[in-house]
């Protein structure tokens, strides 16, 4: 019996240009980190030297003040923070639908509408919600209302983009079938497109609700109400034990909202796979 020895397959030669390009990318990444390190004044030595200040801060904050005089307003502020996140999410739903349809390639009526919608969503997404809050605080005054308006503006940009991408990734079969039957754009969107991506849209909405509740906490630091305002007030008055109480309430609120959002998204995922 004749045996045939298998020769090893020679390795594919690497192209010199590809290797050089890889080294250039690696060098650029390293250089960017070196510049960022220097520009941000990162110094672990300064962190170690400041341990006494941190120890004094923690010593004044612990134990937290759990008296009802502090805990009552803290719980009330946490509810206001929750309502800001809820309304900021809910009110942005109808305002996000039309830009999402116009920013999706399969539903945009024309190329210029597609580009214009993408530009508007990019602008709303690029401006931080804190900046929107500062603008609305100067317009309508302090309180939760400017926080709601700020979340609506920023959330429309984020959610509109996420929904547009979900619409673009939808199964093209049902929409094409309706178009071939003579259905218009609105009929295709309502009867074929939205039903096929509804679980994804709802999951993204719940994710944004989770994020918006946490964002509304930061908005309170600039005068938009809620428990963030109480935290800022406690810091300015050097009442760090009260500050810690507010932070603990925030932790409970964020964990509860996170668990609710995760449960709803998991339920939607199971319904989608059936």
């Amino acid at each position: 019996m004749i045996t045939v020895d298998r020769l090893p397959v020679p390795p594919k030669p690497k192209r010199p240009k590809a290797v050089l390009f890889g080294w250039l990318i690696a060098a650029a990444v390293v250089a960017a980190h070196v510049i960022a390190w220097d520009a941000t004044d990162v110094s672990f030595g300064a962190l170690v030297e400041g341990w006494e200040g941190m120890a004094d801060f923690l010593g004044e904050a612990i134990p937290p003040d759990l008296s009802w005089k502090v805990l009552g307003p803290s719980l009330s502020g946490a509810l206001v923070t929750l309502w800001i996140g809820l309304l900021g999410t809910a009110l942005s739903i109808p305002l996000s639908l039309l830009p999402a349809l116009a920013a999706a390639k399969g539903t945009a009526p024309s190329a210029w509408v597609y580009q214009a919608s993408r530009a508007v969503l990019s602008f709303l997404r690029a401006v931080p919600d804190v900046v929107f809050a500062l603008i609305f605080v100067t317009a309508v005054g302090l309180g939760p209302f400017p926080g709601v308006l700020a979340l609506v503006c920023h959330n429309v940009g984020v959610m509109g983009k996420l929904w547009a991408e979900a619409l673009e990734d939808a199964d093209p079969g049902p929409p094409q079938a309706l178009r071939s039957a003579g259905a218009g754009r609105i009929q295709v969107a309502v009867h074929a497109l939205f039903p096929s991506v509804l679980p994804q849209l709802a999951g993204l909405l719940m994710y944004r609700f989770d994020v918006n509740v946490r964002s509304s906490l930061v908005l309170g630091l600039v005068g938009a109400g809620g428990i963030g305002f109480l935290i800022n007030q406690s810091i300015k008055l050097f009442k760090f034990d009260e500050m810690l109480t507010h932070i603990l309430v925030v932790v409970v609120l964020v964990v509860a909202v996170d668990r609710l959002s995760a449960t709803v998204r998991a339920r939607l995922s199971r319904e989608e796979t059936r």
Side-chain angles (χ1 to χ4, degrees):
M1 184 176 180
I2 300 175
T3 59
V4 179
D5 296 333
R6 293 184 179 181
L7 298 176
V9 178
K12 186 178 180 180
K14 294 184 178 180
R15 293 178 296 178
K17 289 185 178 180
V19 175
L20 178 61
F21 182 74
W23 279 108
L24 289 176
I25 293 296
V29 171
V30 172
H33 283 78
V34 171
I35 295 173
W37 186 282
D38 181 67
T40 54
D41 296 328
V42 174
S43 174
F44 293 108
L47 181 63
V48 173
E49 291 175 0
W51 72 270
E52 292 184 356
M54 291 188 292
D56 293 338
F57 176 81
L58 293 176
E60 295 180 14
I62 299 173
D65 187 352
L66 298 179
S67 64
W68 185 250
K69 181 182 178 181
V70 176
L71 190 57
S74 183
L75 294 174
S76 178
L79 284 177
V80 173
T81 297
L82 178 63
W83 303 146
I84 293 174
L86 178 64
L87 285 179
T89 306
L91 295 179
S92 63
I93 294 176
L95 299 176
S96 302
L97 284 175
L98 185 59
L101 288 170
K105 292 182 179 179
T107 56
S110 62
W112 73 267
V113 172
Y114 171 81
Q115 295 296 338
S117 300
R118 286 275 174 169
V120 171
L121 293 178
S122 297
F123 170 76
L124 294 175
R125 193 170 62 254
V127 179
D129 45 20
V130 175
V131 175
F132 279 123
L134 290 172
I135 294 173
F136 287 121
V137 163
T138 60
V140 300
L142 300 174
F145 184 45
V148 174
L149 295 176
L151 285 182
V152 169
C153 291
H154 184 72
N155 201 53
V156 166
V158 177
M159 205 153 63
K161 179 180 182 295
L162 293 176
W163 282 3
E165 292 178 349
L167 293 173
E168 289 182 350
D169 294 337
D171 183 11
Q176 289 178 356
L178 282 183
R179 289 193 191 97
S180 62
R185 291 182 180 274
I186 297 179
Q187 291 174 317
V188 170
V190 172
H191 298 289
L193 197 54
F194 278 124
S196 63
V197 297
L198 188 59
Q200 294 95 313
L201 300 185
L204 291 171
L205 178 65
M206 289 304 302
Y207 169 73
R208 287 304 306 170
F209 170 62
D210 183 13
V211 172
N212 286 336
V213 170
R214 283 176 282 177
S215 297
S216 60
L217 165 67
V218 181
L219 298 183
L221 299 177
V222 296
I227 196 169
F229 179 76
L230 297 178
I231 293 175
N232 189 31
Q233 194 175 38
S234 299
I235 293 174
K236 289 182 177 179
L237 296 176
F238 299 100
K239 297 181 178 180
F240 300 120
D241 53 345
E242 295 184 6
M243 177 207 68
L244 183 57
T245 301
H246 300 323
I247 291 177
L248 293 176
V249 172
V250 166
V251 170
V252 174
L253 173 65
V254 170
V255 170
V257 173
D258 179 69
R259 294 310 306 159
L260 173 64
S261 177
T263 302
V264 173
R265 292 200 302 270
R267 180 66 180 270
L268 291 172
S269 179
R270 288 196 298 268
E271 292 293 334
E272 183 182 1
T273 55
R274 287 182 181 179

